[in-house]
Amino acid sequence: MTCHTADVTIIGAGSAGLAAERSARDAGARTLLIDEAFRGTLCASTGCMPSKLLIAAANAAYQARNTDVFGIIVKDVEVDGKAVMTRVRHERDKFVAAVQASFDDLPAGTAMKARARFTGPTQFALDNGDTVNSRSVVIATGAYAFIPEPLRGLGSLGLTNESIFEIRDLPLSLAVIGGGAIGLEMAQAMARLGVEVELFDHARTLGGARHPDVQEALAKIIGGEVALHLGADVTASKENGQVRLSWSGASHGERLFERILIATGRPPAFDGLGLDAAGLELNDHGVPIFDINTMQCGDAPVFIAGDANAHAAVLHEAGNEGSVAGRNAALYPEIEAPTRTPPFTLTFTDPPLAILGDAADKDTITGCASYADQGRAKIKARAKGLVRIYAAASDGRLIGAELYCPGADHMAHLLAHAIQRGETASELLEIPFYHPTFEEGLKPALRHICASTSARLPAGRASQDAPGA
Ligand SMILES: Cc1cc2nc3c(=O)[nH]c(=O)nc-3n(C[C@H](O)[C@H](O)[C@H](O)COP(=O)(O)OP(=O)(O)OC[C@H]3O[C@@H](n4cnc5c(N)ncnc54)[C@H](O)[C@@H]3O)c2cc1C
Ligand SMILES: NC(=O)c1ccc[n+]([C@@H]2O[C@H](COP(=O)([O-])OP(=O)(O)OC[C@H]3O[C@@H](n4cnc5c(N)ncnc54)[C@H](O)[C@@H]3O)[C@@H](O)[C@H]2O)c1
């Protein structure tokens, strides 16, 4: 048994933990990075990258099947499920290998493969029998795929994000449980790959969209490709190598599916971490109460970053939070509170769904624009969806937006920058808008905000759109 010491100990070598280790080291700390597997981050192995690889294949199939509108006839589009999944894994493994190669760049003695359990505020027992005594700690243990009780016991027929990318071939039918980010992305992708997909959610809303008009568009567009059952409570059992799914609530029924994907949320992974021994104050969900700017848990020398804190389970937040947590753990007790970037989530459906900044309330003006008649969207035969942009009623300052339209993944960045810089609708209208682009479709919404607030239309900019904008 060895007793290790460090200035900053980081538990979890995912995107948050790696960023924390790096920033603590840059701040002069002697670091120890402990992970039970060093799998190469959730993002690369079972998260962002394999899911986007599957979506890329699905969209290729979809586009190949939908060329007739352009006068291009593509006959007999065939999906080779085994080849699709082989490419997903092959490319995914390269992303994982790149992350794993970065572990070699860590200073000698920094990385330790073990499962850690708190034995005191900054002390740990490792499952290899060693112990760790540290000056401060970063918890970056990520999250795990939660399986509700009525969906347990399905063995390999019950998939989660941890197993779906390992299947050798596409199933004939798939029930997707949960209409959040994972459920929406995977349901649409699998449907486009020719799998018969039905999506179930016990809520009546999809994808965390805030406004009923966005919800309605989501249900209509996703529902055009995938059978939707909202407000449905589900139970499942094994039957002759398949899954029998029964549902009740807003609708009821039952059917056999070849596989089921359980995407009902990913709570923080604290199992076996011994949080009790850390002496931290926990919220009702058992998550340490922490400051979202400093990442500090109470006034303890303990910081928490990434999916483990259940605040904003997306990659750029994991990296940013890890960076802040690592630096503050190194500087403790002289900690810093950098300003966070505006909330920003993107769901990679087609069209993509972007939700950013704050929601509308009684003190906001909303500018809306439809993409059903937008020039560039019509050119590309993708004319559907909408944008809603929110601004402070007092001065037209942009505070948030919901976009569910072609190009939303790119345009949301434009809006995020404007919100972050505290710009008004008028200031955003001052930038050049090239014609014909998806970006032009934002202009009616921004002009509406100008007309309804003290934000004036910018001088020297055309107030009418080009034909077909
Ligand atoms: C299917 C899917 C698709 C996604 N797509 C996107 C996307 O397109 N864009 C986006 O921004 N985000 C996406 N996300 C979210 C994003 O991947 C996560 O927010 C991010 O990867 C979380 O990083 P993390 O460091 O918090 O966790 P992880 O990368 O999971 O790291 C946690 C680490 O802690 C280790 N660990 C846990 N407990 C212990 C212990 N007791 N002792 C030692 N080690 C321990 C684990 O082994 C693991 O390596 C997706 C997520 C999923 C599931
Ligand atoms: N593009 C992206 O950035 C991206 C993609 C995938 C995942 N993620 C991240 O991964 C995290 C996990 O994703 P997720 O989709 O699992 O979670 P989620 O919290 O986004 O959605 C879970 C959904 O499951 C439903 N649900 C919960 N229990 C249920 C039950 N018993 N029966 C039926 N429905 C039930 C909920 O109502 C909800 O709609 C998200 O927080 C997200 O940030 C991000």
Side-chain angles (χ1 to χ4, degrees), residues 40-117:
T41 75
L42 162 84
C43 171
S45 59
T46 60
C48 324
M49 304 316 260
S51 58
K52 267 77 257 178
L53 283 160
L54 190 77
I55 290 168
N59 288 344
Y62 179 84
Q63 279 156 18
R65 282 200 203 95
N66 288 278
T67 58
D68 297 18
V69 65
F70 302 106
I72 315 289
I73 311 302
V74 178
K75 288 200 176 125
D76 303 328
V77 176
E78 198 181 323
V79 174
D80 178 343
K82 286 188 178 131
V84 167
M85 295 313 300
T86 299
R87 176 177 189 266
V88 166
R89 279 190 294 276
H90 184 70
E91 294 300 319
R92 183 273 310 268
D93 290 348
K94 290 196 246 173
F95 290 120
V96 171
V99 178
Q100 286 174 332
S102 76
F103 297 149
D104 298 338
D105 299 334
L106 292 165
T110 300
M112 188 167 297
K113 193 166 174 177
R115 193 167 172 76
R117 177 173 54 82

Side-chain angles (χ1 to χ4, degrees), residues 292-307:
I292 60 160
N293 293 311
T294 64
M295 313 316 294
Q296 186 180 18
C297 301
D299 57 6
V302 180
F303 301 79
I304 186 164
D307 288 6

Side-chain angles (χ1 to χ4, degrees), residues 10-18 34-44 46-52 112 114-117 140-143 161 164-165 181-182 185-186 266 269-273 305-309 312-319 344 346 348:
I10 303 104
I11 311 298
S15 304
L18 287 169
I34 301 175
D35 194 289
E36 59 186 336
F38 283 96
R39 227 173 264 122
T41 75
L42 162 84
C43 171
T46 60
C48 324
M49 304 316 260
S51 58
K52 267 77 257 178
M112 188 167 297
R115 193 167 172 76
R117 177 173 54 82
T141 49
N161 72 289
I164 190 166
F165 306 112
I182 298 179
E185 288 184 353
M186 292 298 95
R266 292 179 41 85
F270 296 145
D271 196 30
L273 188 62
D307 288 6
N309 66 33
V314 293
L315 194 272
H316 67 277
E317 297 279 18
F344 180 7
L346 257 180
F348 290 88

